[in-house]
Amino acid sequence: MTTDKQSDKPTKPRKIELPRKPHYVTLAADCDFFNLFQKIEKRYDTCFMLESLGEDSHISRYSIIGFDPELIISAAERTLTITQRDGSSDSYESDNPYYLLREIMPQNIISRKYAGGLTGYLGYDCMQYFEPTLSLKSNDYFDAFRFGLYKDGLILDKMTGEIIYFYYTVNRMDLVNELINAEYEGNGPLSITFTGETMSREEHAKAVMKVKQDIIDGKVFQCEVGFKKHLKLQGDTISIYEQLREVNPSPQMYYIKFGDQKIIGASPELLFRLRQGEMETFPLAGTTRRGKDATEDTQFARALLNDPKEIAEHNMIVDLHRNDIGRVARFGTVKVRSLMDIKRFSHVQHISSEIVGIIDESEDMFSALASNFPAGTLTGAPKIEAMKIIDELEVDGRGPYGGAVGNFSFNGDCTFAIPIRTVFAKGENAYVQTCGGNVYDSNPEDEYEEIQRKFAGTRKALERFTAAAEQESAQ
């Protein structure tokens, strides 16, 4: 650890030290894991739940809960801030706070299960740490990145129904058992009001035409431009997540809470996963609506897979993801494991592919995520030029939208979803954002309708609470 000689203050944070293995203890079986999280969320300012639901819930065997982390680590521009449980904090200047995070994080814990680590988010503007030529708008509500450091937590094994508590040196099992056995007081009231959009339909049409001209000029092949819908939230936000679980169950579900900062989502898309040396990414590009029955679903899927514009868009994104993984993979190991499958969700169908590779020995989870960040499905191709155009056309910073939400584990594995179909909240102020892939053949009307379809699942989850707000205002 180096120090500043004038102040004796360390110039770098201390490396996190842990035993080589965590302890795992089975606490209960057939307990309502979400109900347990509801009780935890009421009691703790900082906590999270990660789970996988719906038709593709097999993507993860385990659901995870963490609460009251030992540290909160965040970044703004060139400063990394580490906050203790008691609220005290230290800040460290760094040319790259993301890689400073990498220096202090153990990656050698022996465990095949989730073993704790850093859970939180990276904002879309975090790309500036990976590509110095970019200067992206920041977001008023969110940091460049923010993580809780969790050295214990709860795991639900969906296959056995068992709840497992893990820890290293500090055992909070008595507290966990108290939480399991406590009565839940119930959700409080919630009202949601839509307060406007960052682009009108006409402004969005102009943005699409600008992208089309950029394509003609040879700057990009594709570009993902969208806009925000702003909300006012008053009340108990756990109700939003409860509704998302019911109306839009997705393979990437998350409720991440840092005080009044919350990310509540049901994302269909995994950004990047590293497990025991194998890297995976599952780009979704190409969208159509669900049918009224299985026959109509198949008809819409057939039309989607025979649409030249959608196929061209998807192939470009697959190539981009292959290149992203290829930068950190062993030579010859990158494969397209499946190409152009159809994935069905509650309100839309997407074209999906799976790209895999074996991580090179000189790389780790931090460099691997950086190579795949942000997803090409939320930027376009070529990625850097597309991001410059997005930053010019979208009126404010994306924040975590299109970035990453998930965890870096102490065992060297990581899993991150793309935060889409998500509510981003800071106190009563919140937004949702969607975007569409614009290519040479795009027309503004179809692109606007695609954005509305993508928003449908989130809108349905929110409608119950917007209706309540409208009734209150009418009285």
Side-chain angles (χ1 to χ4, degrees):
M1 182 173 60
T2 59
T3 60
D4 183 326
K5 291 183 179 179
Q6 292 183 337
S7 64
D8 290 330
K9 176 186 172 181
T11 57
K12 288 186 178 182
R14 186 184 302 274
K15 188 174 177 66
I16 298 159
E17 295 182 358
L18 292 170
R20 288 302 305 278
K21 294 181 180 180
H23 301 280
Y24 291 97
V25 182
T26 300
L27 294 183
D30 306 317
C31 171
D32 187 328
F33 203 57
F34 175 58
N35 180 253
L36 174 57
F37 179 68
Q38 288 173 300
K39 290 182 277 189
I40 287 170
E41 196 271 344
K42 287 286 184 294
R43 189 179 297 195
Y44 294 97
D45 283 341
T46 304
C47 57
F48 75 86
M49 183 171 189
L50 303 176
E51 56 182 340
S52 182
L53 302 177
E55 292 182 22
D56 283 334
S57 62
H58 57 82
I59 197 168
S60 176
R61 174 175 167 175
Y62 302 102
S63 301
I64 305 167
I65 291 173
F67 63 94
D68 191 24
E70 184 171 300
L71 304 173
I72 295 174
I73 306 175
S74 60
E77 296 183 348
R78 301 299 168 188
T79 302
L80 185 79
T81 300
I82 298 181
T83 304
Q84 308 285 335
R85 274 199 180 112
D86 63 7
S88 62
S89 63
D90 292 296
S91 295
Y92 304 89
E93 296 301 312
S94 172
D95 289 339
N96 195 315
Y98 178 80
Y99 285 115
L100 184 56
L101 188 66
R102 174 200 209 177
E103 289 181 27
I104 67 173
M105 175 74 175
Q107 299 187 51
N108 62 346
I109 295 303
I110 301 169
S111 176
R112 288 180 176 271
K113 290 194 188 83
Y114 173 68
L118 297 169
T119 299
Y121 68 84
L122 291 95
Y124 176 84
D125 56 311
C126 201
M127 183 62 176
Q128 294 173 146
Y129 298 143
F130 315 139
E131 181 52 57
T133 63
L134 282 174
S135 178
L136 302 175
K137 298 185 187 82
S138 60
N139 183 275
D140 292 338
Y141 300 160
F142 292 92
D143 312 279
F145 63 72
R146 181 172 285 252
F147 290 98
L149 179 75
Y150 293 90
K151 293 184 179 179
D152 71 343
L154 293 158
I155 303 166
L156 170 66
D157 185 335
K158 294 187 294 184
M159 189 171 293
T160 66
E162 294 172 316
I163 293 178
I164 300 159
Y165 174 66
F166 79 89
Y167 68 96
Y168 286 89
T169 54
V170 178
N171 184 344
R172 298 193 289 176
M173 203 182 315
D174 290 344
L175 172 60
V176 170
N177 278 316
E178 177 201 328
L179 288 162
I180 290 173
N181 295 318
E183 292 293 322
Y184 179 53
E185 64 191 45
N187 296 358
L190 172 67
S191 67
I192 299 174
T193 308
F194 284 93
T195 57
E197 298 179 343
T198 54
M199 275 189 195
S200 67
R201 186 166 189 153
E202 293 73 23
E203 289 167 335
H204 176 259
K206 289 180 181 176
V208 172
M209 297 309 294
K210 169 66 167 59
V211 170
K212 285 169 68 71
Q213 187 58 52
D214 287 334
I215 293 169
I216 291 168
D217 293 342
K219 294 181 180 179
V220 288
F221 301 111
Q222 178 193 8
C223 187
E224 300 271 344
V225 175
F227 53 88
K228 293 181 176 67
K229 295 175 184 284
H230 283 285
L231 318 169
K232 184 176 183 182
L233 307 179
Q234 294 176 295
D236 194 348
T237 52
I238 195 68
S239 296
I240 297 174
Y241 189 63
E242 186 174 55
Q243 280 294 103
L244 283 172
R245 295 174 90 247
E246 292 181 12
V247 305
N248 194 21
S250 300
Q252 318 293 330
M253 305 284 300
Y254 39 84
Y255 187 106
I256 308 283
K257 176 183 176 184
F258 292 103
D260 63 353
Q261 247 186 27
K262 296 169 188 173
I263 301 177
I264 309 166
S267 173
E269 191 165 358
L270 181 74
L271 169 63
F272 179 77
R273 179 164 61 187
L274 172 63
R275 291 188 299 182
Q276 298 169 40
E278 182 180 72
M279 301 179 289
E280 303 168 277
T281 184
F282 297 82
L284 302 179
T287 307
T288 190
R289 64 184 185 274
R290 293 295 303 265
K292 63 180 182 293
D293 54 31
T295 299
E296 195 170 62
D297 267 345
T298 302
Q299 290 170 349
F300 288 147
R302 182 166 61 245
L304 182 63
L305 289 170
N306 284 281
D307 185 324
K309 179 257 184 187
E310 300 286 3
I311 295 303
E313 177 184 341
H314 190 87
N315 282 332
M316 277 189 283
I317 294 302
V318 167
D319 281 344
L320 190 152
H321 279 246
R322 286 174 64 243
N323 290 335
D324 286 349
I325 277 190
R327 289 200 299 269
V328 289
R330 293 183 195 170
F331 181 77
T333 64
V334 177
K335 310 289 183 187
V336 180
R337 184 174 281 166
S338 62
L339 180 65
M340 289 191 285
D341 290 339
I342 289 290
K343 296 290 185 184
R344 293 189 170 100
F345 301 96
S346 61
H347 292 76
V348 293
Q349 304 180 74
H350 292 295
I351 305 174
S352 170
S353 293
E354 179 183 4
I355 297 103
V356 299
I358 304 301
I359 192 168
D360 190 82
E361 292 178 358
S362 64
E363 308 292 344
D364 67 2
M365 59 184 177
F366 287 97
S367 60
L369 179 69
S371 182
N372 289 271
F373 184 92
T377 49
L378 273 292
T379 57
K383 186 184 290 188
I384 303 305
E385 194 60 39
M387 293 181 76
K388 292 176 183 176
I389 294 169
I390 291 166
D391 200 60
E392 174 189 348
L393 293 176
E394 294 184 358
V395 299
D396 57 359
R398 285 184 167 186
Y401 173 76
V405 59
N407 63 71
F408 292 111
S409 178
F410 292 132
N411 66 2
D413 293 348
C414 70
T415 303
F416 283 90
I418 306 172
I420 54 178
R421 322 293 203 265
T422 296
V423 176
F424 305 95
K426 173 73 170 172
E428 292 188 350
N429 298 308
Y431 65 91
V432 294
Q433 184 164 351
T434 45
C435 66
N438 303 295
V439 294
Y440 176 75
D441 293 332
S442 294
N443 69 75
E445 294 78 15
D446 289 346
E447 295 302 332
Y448 190 83
E449 289 306 316
E450 178 178 331
I451 283 177
Q452 297 305 318
R453 284 197 300 271
K454 288 177 176 177
F455 180 55
T458 310
R459 182 174 59 237
K460 186 174 180 182
L462 300 179
E463 276 175 353
R464 172 180 172 186
F465 310 109
T466 56
E470 288 165 2
Q471 288 171 6
E472 287 175 9
S473 63
Q475 291 173 352

